[in-house]
Amino acid sequence: MTLTFAIGDIHGCLSELEEMLGQVETYADGGHVVFVGDYVDRGPDSRGVVERIMAGPRGQGWRWTTLKGNHEEMLVRAHDNGGAEMVTWLENGGHETLQSFGGELPEAVVDWCRALPSIHVDQYRIFVHAGVDEALPLEAQNDHDLIWKRYRGAETGYFWGRHLCHGHTPVSGNPQTFDNRTNVDAGCVFGGALACAVFDDEMPEGPIEFLRVPALVPPEDRR
């Protein structure tokens, strides 16, 4: 059996990320980890999260896929365009990110955020940050839906015969599965948890288990 681990929105919560990676590495001696985006903003240590993920897996037998979230997109737009784009980013957690980097974003980090893919597809599943547009072919999805769409209820879909796994929208009860869609954003930076869905790569169903790391620092103490 081979496994895929899909980790939800991190938002600068480095301590919870390290704890989750420890859980994942205890669960299996190898596998595929998919990060569904939103590594930066709002939390206390965006720099630490980015540097940890950029460094890649520490053990043999692991591979990582790192997807783009809307907060990575906002960071890149703010860097490239300034002005209103910068204001939007700063008002949505960018202040905390800049502070963690000492007031200036390294070009290597901006380039890394810019180059992140927006979708990963395997035999049985689709991994994105936010959602998909079923009116378009799978191979013709656009970045706006992939990193900005919201599923606020129990919506399901055809999803081209696959299971859709995403983050982006923290709602009460996450992580949870609605038929053939799983939302792994459990709102860690808001005092919830960092969540991970575990998938059996040989089975076309949803997650076989969820892993959770409760938020270690209350939201009011993060700044």
Side-chain angles (χ1 to χ4, degrees), residues 2 12 14-15 45 55 72 76 84 110 131 149 169 184 193 203 206-208:
T2 60
L14 178 61
S15 297
D45 197 353
E72 286 73 56
V76 171
V110 178
K149 183 169 180 173
T169 304
V184 290
M203 296 173 58
I208 60 174

Side-chain angles (χ1 to χ4, degrees), residues 79-156:
H79 173 271
D80 291 352
N81 303 321
E85 302 274 19
M86 179 63 72
V87 172
T88 297
W89 178 56
L90 293 176
E91 290 178 345
N92 285 276
H95 278 296
E96 291 85 349
T97 298
L98 273 181
Q99 184 176 23
S100 74
F101 280 101
E104 185 175 355
L105 292 171
E107 289 295 328
V109 169
V110 178
D111 290 343
W112 180 78
C113 290
R114 192 193 313 278
L116 292 172
S118 301
I119 186 170
H120 173 74
V121 181
D122 66 20
Q123 181 178 2
Y124 296 123
R125 280 163 283 275
I126 301 166
F127 299 91
V128 297
H129 176 63
V132 294
D133 182 353
E134 292 183 80
L136 299 174
L138 178 57
E139 62 274 12
Q141 294 296 299
N142 63 77
D143 276 354
H144 186 270
D145 290 308
L146 297 176
I147 67 176
W148 287 99
K149 183 169 180 173
R150 296 282 187 187
Y151 295 104
R152 299 187 182 276
E155 303 99 316
T156 61

